[in-house]
Amino acid sequence: MSHVWTQARRAARMNPSIIREILKVTEKPGILSMAGGLPSADTFPVDALKSACDRVLTQAPREALQYAASEGFAPLREWVAARVAALGMNVKPDQVLITSGSQQGLDLAAKILCDAGAPVAVETPTYLGALQAFTPFEPLFASLASDEEGPRPEAIAALPHDAPGTRFSYLLPNYQNPTGRVMGAQRRQDVVEASRRAGVPIVEDNPYGDLWFDAPPPAALSSLWPEGSLYMGSFSKVLTPGFRLGYVIAPTELYPKLLQAKQAADLHTPGFNQRVVYEVVKDGFLDQHIPVIRARYKANRDAMAAALRAHLPAGCEWQSPQGGMFFWIRLPAGLDAMALLPQAVDAGVAFVPGAAFYAQQPDPRTLRLSFVTLTPELIHEGVEKLGRVLHEALEPVAEHAP
Amino acid sequence: MSHVWTQARRAARMNPSIIREILKVTEKPGILSMAGGLPSADTFPVDALKSACDRVLTQAPREALQYAASEGFAPLREWVAARVAALGMNVKPDQVLITSGSQQGLDLAAKILCDAGAPVAVETPTYLGALQAFTPFEPLFASLASDEEGPRPEAIAALPHDAPGTRFSYLLPNYQNPTGRVMGAQRRQDVVEASRRAGVPIVEDNPYGDLWFDAPPPAALSSLWPEGSLYMGSFSKVLTPGFRLGYVIAPTELYPKLLQAKQAADLHTPGFNQRVVYEVVKDGFLDQHIPVIRARYKANRDAMAAALRAHLPAGCEWQSPQGGMFFWIRLPAGLDAMALLPQAVDAGVAFVPGAAFYAQQPDPRTLRLSFVTLTPELIHEGVEKLGRVLHEALEPVAEHAP
């Protein structure tokens, strides 16, 4: 140990991702993993991307390969501004910042908004990657009491507003990671009204909004309170995560500072990637492509719902998600998902223990299952294995019951 | 003004890049810009990239387009570890972290090493983008007294070492941006020795090291003190900046924390980009390609050196750089480069005022000229215009002289 390096105070709060460590284990061959939040690789539009790469490198190689504007590729920004109109948002292209995946939007937002010790409100539970992005900026996490529609408005109304003030609520209204839940239209109104009254702005993350099964979700929170919302979108779930392309839509008041943070972080998102994706999406490709993803994911959702009904022991609770990628399961009292994971992996199946998704007071009985990575047949097989592990785990509990 | 958003304390220290604002002005058609640090687009290997894109999307589309490991693409990490052996570095692939340009390496290093008020030492002058990357983490900048070989060892010896301790010195030993200077072998020894004694580790940034003209630079600082050095490299100047690919080589002690910061920042650098670049470089492409860039840049350097001798007024000072992309000019006493920029732009030529590159006490007489963006003919024309502006600016000074 050299002791030559002194680490920042914030570094002590940064810890290895549990999901990451789990994914390493579950990458062993033969394990049916429902752990990762990976979109189905069968949905990646390989041919469209291939010909778009060729067109970009034929038509504008010097521009695509040179340094570029930190704001992003102008035609792509225009496309994004037009696209979110379908979510009820009225946005100018100069409010759009192209980011290196929407994960980077979380990092940049925290960088310009979080002070050490100032509260940041998150859903219970919430996206683990957001907790990781915010943590280095040392916020005080406030876990919002939440139900099957997301955060309760009265929890937002009760957020601290004295200095240093709650900096924002981080909300995933559509098919939330990890719970799969969606915020209804009335809940959105109530959450925005409570937020406005409390003076707590909203960071709205919407990676899954396009992945609805029977009906699209209600209008974006950002459409109800444009000046109080920072909106994040992504191409990862509708095109490919491997290009790392997302975007932030910011109120005019915040945009310049966000842009400076972006410039300091990585100068700009790869211009080549932006131009290729623009080539793919500019003529309406997603209007044909997303319905294909929806149909596939809905069939997978149905397969997992059937498998869960068939194989999970009594006392397990879940709701069937109306979109997105995840089932959220609550195990019977006495079971601990984290403690059961090694047994599940031994049995050839993997999930993510839900405890990872809580800022405080994790519920050890919860776990997350992705239904989009495996085929319906393998989903059945995986859930059957998981069911066996749970049944076995419940036996000694039953034996010791009076 | 809504007052709904409260910004972080650090945001107040983040300001728009002067270079960025200048570049906007100089993007007007007809202006001969020697301002930007843009590599020559003529050097981008378009055909090699085009066929590599095609190969990656044919041979491994599912892997290239899926989420990937935060550390980076394993074969590319192995390639990097092998490549830096030529700089005297003995590195294992698991010390290599692939980043979204080496700019991101600066952001991640500051994130895990900088506390508010703790000193960070920088050269005088230094790379503006590093100042921008470090600033959000609120370091106390210590400007190291520097000469034509870079920082003076005695300045490093005098750095504060009481708590909170100088966290690192940020050093660009090869053809530094903005001065073009290179650290000699003895100076490297002395700087490392002083750093080791002072207990101040080194962040070594080496984007230009491959761009030498007559002889390669001495071994990397990191080769002299591996456990006390964080090394940053880039594909931007030898292949393309538009793919945003760089890397950090970290001592084993620091790697895990750096990796967590990377994961929180953007999950991973685009896997597609990493695989394409690996396809291009894996069989020795750079051994043929970099000499072509060197020859072109050397001819440009010669053209600018001749033009400066022909057109700049007496009293201007500069050294001819032995590599890289930049001349650094000091104007005669009484002139202010920033004040002259509007006149230069009116005359159809642009540069970057040197003041932007100082953490403290800018020298207003300095300016930076890139010699790689324009052709030799346009370099002559641009420097001639700049010379006229300087001659005119000196006339009133002369008139008012006693």
Side-chain angles (χ1 to χ4, degrees):
Chain A
M1 191 70 176
S2 71
H3 296 301
V4 64
W5 299 93
T6 300
Q7 293 188 15
R9 188 181 63 175
R10 76 179 67 78
R13 297 178 41 150
M14 297 159 59
N15 289 304
S17 157
I18 295 173
I19 285 198
R20 184 193 164 73
E21 300 306 309
I22 288 169
L23 285 176
K24 276 186 191 160
V25 174
T26 62
E27 274 162 7
K28 283 179 193 163
I31 290 190
L32 296 172
S33 179
M34 297 175 288
L38 307 183
S40 168
D42 293 333
T43 68
F44 299 157
V46 179
D47 291 337
L49 287 164
K50 199 187 281 189
S51 72
C53 286
D54 197 71
R55 283 203 302 284
V56 166
L57 286 176
T58 301
Q59 293 166 6
R62 298 168 70 94
E63 296 80 2
L65 298 175
Q66 188 55 282
Y67 284 112
S70 300
E71 291 90 338
F73 181 50
L76 186 61
R77 297 169 71 208
E78 285 163 26
W79 182 90
V80 167
R83 178 145 184 101
V84 296
L87 307 174
M89 295 168 66
N90 180 12
V91 165
K92 296 206 180 76
D94 61 9
Q95 290 176 259
V96 178
L97 176 69
I98 305 293
T99 55
S100 302
S102 65
Q103 182 74 23
Q104 187 182 42
L106 300 173
D107 175 65
L108 301 179
K111 203 179 235 176
I112 67 162
L113 294 172
C114 291
D115 278 312
V120 162
V122 295
E123 298 185 53
T124 306
T126 189
Y127 169 51
L128 169 61
L131 296 175
Q132 291 182 300
F134 302 158
T135 291
F137 302 101
E138 304 177 275
L140 193 67
F141 285 114
S143 295
L144 295 165
S146 305
D147 58 24
E148 68 281 354
E149 282 202 66
R152 306 274 319 159
E154 62 271 23
I156 290 171
L159 285 169
H161 58 269
D162 291 340
T166 302
R167 296 306 166 89
F168 58 84
S169 298
Y170 169 68
L171 304 179
L172 281 136
N174 298 327
Y175 322 119
Q176 193 227 23
N177 181 357
T179 61
R181 69 193 173 200
V182 62
M183 238 185 249
Q186 185 60 51
R187 176 64 61 89
R188 289 179 199 232
Q189 294 280 359
D190 296 344
V191 159
V192 165
E193 185 53 31
S195 299
R196 201 194 286 268
R197 284 201 198 169
V200 176
I202 293 170
V203 172
E204 178 176 24
D205 195 4
N206 186 23
Y208 309 107
D210 279 315
L211 306 179
W212 49 267
F213 299 148
D214 298 310
L221 297 170
S222 299
S223 73
L224 305 174
W225 192 22
E227 72 276 20
S229 303
L230 202 60
Y231 176 92
M232 287 166 196
S234 171
F235 291 97
S236 291
K237 308 304 188 292
V238 294
L239 220 49
T240 161
F243 268 57
R244 309 302 305 120
L245 266 190
Y247 46 89
V248 178
I249 296 172
T252 309
E253 175 189 350
L254 278 191
Y255 194 92
K257 213 50 103 173
L258 211 55
L259 177 62
Q260 289 158 32
K262 167 66 180 170
Q263 193 180 24
D266 63 3
L267 299 184
H268 62 87
T269 293
F272 175 75
N273 299 234
Q274 295 184 61
R275 286 170 184 262
V276 169
V277 164
Y278 177 69
E279 273 297 308
V280 171
V281 301
K282 67 177 181 180
D283 295 323
F285 176 83
L286 291 181
D287 296 338
Q288 274 73 55
H289 185 60
I290 293 177
V292 176
I293 304 178
R294 279 182 201 136
R296 166 184 286 267
Y297 285 8
K298 184 179 177 182
N300 283 20
R301 190 270 318 257
D302 291 344
M304 187 170 279
L308 292 170
R309 280 194 302 270
H311 301 300
L312 254 52
C316 289
E317 298 161 16
W318 66 87
Q319 288 199 318
S320 196
Q322 302 306 301
M325 299 172 34
F326 305 111
F327 271 86
W328 182 247
I329 317 281
R330 191 155 189 255
L331 302 178
L335 293 192
D336 180 323
M338 185 77 84
L340 287 172
L341 182 61
Q343 293 157 52
V345 170
D346 283 348
V349 61
F351 55 80
V352 183
F357 299 95
Y358 292 81
Q360 287 116 351
Q361 295 172 297
D363 181 347
R365 289 163 60 186
T366 56
L367 62 87
R368 189 192 76 180
L369 296 179
S370 161
F371 56 84
V372 307
T373 319
L374 300 178
T375 60
E377 294 68 34
L378 292 176
I379 286 173
H380 259 286
E381 200 180 315
V383 171
E384 190 177 1
K385 285 175 197 281
L386 175 62
R388 268 203 298 274
V389 170
L390 297 177
H391 278 289
E392 280 169 27
L394 283 167
E395 278 164 25
V397 174
E399 274 168 15
H400 288 94
Chain B
M1 190 72 177
S2 70
H3 295 302
V4 63
W5 298 94
T6 300
Q7 292 189 13
R9 189 181 63 176
R10 75 179 65 80
R13 296 176 44 149
M14 296 159 60
N15 290 305
S17 159
I18 296 173
I19 286 197
R20 181 191 168 75
E21 300 306 310
I22 288 169
L23 286 176
K24 276 187 192 160
V25 174
T26 61
E27 274 162 8
K28 283 180 195 164
I31 291 191
L32 296 172
S33 179
M34 299 175 286
L38 307 183
S40 167
D42 293 333
T43 68
F44 300 156
V46 180
D47 291 338
L49 287 165
K50 199 186 280 189
S51 72
C53 285
D54 197 72
R55 282 203 302 285
V56 166
L57 287 177
T58 302
Q59 292 165 8
R62 297 168 71 93
E63 297 80 2
L65 298 176
Q66 188 54 280
Y67 284 113
S70 300
E71 292 90 339
F73 181 50
L76 185 63
R77 297 169 71 206
E78 285 164 25
W79 182 91
V80 167
R83 177 143 184 104
V84 297
L87 307 174
M89 295 167 66
N90 179 13
V91 165
K92 297 205 179 75
D94 61 9
Q95 291 176 259
V96 178
L97 176 70
I98 305 295
T99 55
S100 302
S102 64
Q103 182 74 22
Q104 187 182 42
L106 301 172
D107 174 65
L108 300 180
K111 204 179 235 179
I112 68 160
L113 294 172
C114 291
D115 279 311
V120 162
V122 296
E123 298 186 53
T124 306
T126 190
Y127 168 51
L128 168 61
L131 296 175
Q132 291 182 300
F134 301 158
T135 291
F137 303 101
E138 303 177 275
L140 193 68
F141 284 115
S143 295
L144 295 165
S146 305
D147 60 23
E148 67 283 353
E149 282 201 66
R152 308 272 320 156
E154 62 270 24
I156 290 171
L159 285 169
H161 59 270
D162 290 340
T166 302
R167 296 305 168 88
F168 58 83
S169 299
Y170 170 68
L171 304 179
L172 281 138
N174 297 327
Y175 323 119
Q176 193 228 21
N177 181 357
T179 61
R181 69 193 174 201
V182 62
M183 237 183 249
Q186 185 60 50
R187 175 63 62 91
R188 289 177 199 235
Q189 294 279 359
D190 296 345
V191 160
V192 165
E193 185 53 30
S195 300
R196 202 193 287 267
R197 283 200 199 171
V200 176
I202 293 170
V203 172
E204 178 175 24
D205 194 6
N206 187 24
Y208 309 107
D210 280 316
L211 307 180
W212 50 266
F213 298 148
D214 298 311
L221 297 170
S222 300
S223 74
L224 304 174
W225 193 22
E227 72 277 19
S229 302
L230 202 59
Y231 176 92
M232 287 165 198
S234 173
F235 291 97
S236 291
K237 309 304 188 294
V238 296
L239 219 47
T240 162
F243 267 57
R244 309 301 305 120
L245 266 189
Y247 45 89
V248 178
I249 297 172
T252 308
E253 176 189 351
L254 278 190
Y255 193 92
K257 213 51 104 174
L258 211 54
L259 177 61
Q260 289 158 32
K262 167 67 179 169
Q263 193 180 25
D266 63 4
L267 299 183
H268 62 85
T269 292
F272 175 75
N273 299 234
Q274 297 184 59
R275 285 169 184 262
V276 169
V277 164
Y278 177 69
E279 274 297 308
V280 171
V281 301
K282 66 178 182 178
D283 294 324
F285 175 83
L286 291 181
D287 297 338
Q288 275 73 56
H289 185 60
I290 293 177
V292 176
I293 304 178
R294 280 183 200 134
R296 165 185 286 266
Y297 285 8
K298 185 180 177 181
N300 282 20
R301 189 271 318 259
D302 291 344
M304 187 170 277
L308 292 170
R309 281 194 303 271
H311 302 298
L312 255 51
C316 289
E317 298 161 17
W318 65 87
Q319 289 200 319
S320 196
Q322 303 306 299
M325 299 173 32
F326 304 111
F327 271 87
W328 181 248
I329 317 281
R330 190 156 190 257
L331 303 178
L335 292 193
D336 180 323
M338 185 76 84
L340 288 171
L341 182 59
Q343 293 157 52
V345 170
D346 283 347
V349 60
F351 55 80
V352 183
F357 299 95
Y358 292 82
Q360 288 115 351
Q361 295 171 298
D363 181 347
R365 289 164 60 187
T366 55
L367 62 88
R368 190 193 75 178
L369 296 179
S370 162
F371 56 85
V372 307
T373 319
L374 300 179
T375 61
E377 295 68 34
L378 292 177
I379 286 173
H380 259 286
E381 200 179 316
V383 171
E384 190 177 2
K385 286 174 195 281
L386 175 62
R388 268 203 298 275
V389 170
L390 296 177
H391 279 288
E392 279 169 28
L394 282 167
E395 278 165 24
V397 174
E399 274 167 17
H400 290 95

